[in-house]
C-alpha cells in the first residue's frame, strides 16, 4: 500500500508542478501533451489553480505514505 501511495504521490506532485510551470511560464511547450491539466476541458482557464491543487494532493499522498510506513514500524 505504501508503494502505491508513493508512486501516486510522486506522479501527482510532478503533474501539479509541471502544470503550474507550464501555465505560468509557458516554456514547456514540448511537454504540453504530457500534462493532464491541459487535456481536461472543464479546467480550461483554471490551470494555475488545478496545478496547485494537484501538487498539494500529491504532497499529501506522500505524507500519508510516510505516516503509514512509520505506523507499520511502530514509531
Amino acid at each position: 500500500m505504501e508503494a502505491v501511495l508513493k508512486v501516486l504521490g510522486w506522479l501527482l506532485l510532478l503533474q501539479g508542478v509541471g502544470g503550474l510551470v507550464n501555465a505560468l511560464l509557458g516554456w514547456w511547450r514540448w511537454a504540453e501533451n504530457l500534462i493532464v491539466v491541459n487535456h481536461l476541458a472543464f479546467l480550461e482557464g483554471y490551470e494555475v489553480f488545478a496545478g496547485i491543487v494537484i501538487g498539494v494532493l500529491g504532497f499529501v499522498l506522500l505524507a500519508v505514505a510516510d505516516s503509514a510506513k512509520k505506523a507499520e514500524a511502530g514509531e
Side-chain angles (χ1 to χ4, degrees):
M1 184 68 172
E2 174 199 348
V4 172
L5 288 174
K6 278 188 176 181
V7 168
L8 287 175
W10 278 112
L11 286 175
L12 287 175
L13 186 64
L14 290 174
Q15 282 290 317
V17 170
L20 188 61
V21 168
N22 190 37
L24 292 177
L25 301 178
W27 50 265
W28 271 5
R29 295 292 174 206
W30 61 271
E32 220 168 86
N33 290 332
L34 300 174
I35 299 171
V36 174
V37 174
N38 294 336
H39 294 289
L40 302 175
F42 65 90
L43 291 177
E44 190 172 326
Y46 300 103
E47 290 90 358
V48 173
F49 179 71
I52 292 170
V53 169
I54 291 171
V56 168
L57 183 61
F59 184 75
V60 167
L61 282 178
L62 288 172
V64 167
D66 189 46
S67 175
K69 178 181 172 184
K70 288 181 181 178
E72 286 179 2
E75 294 178 1

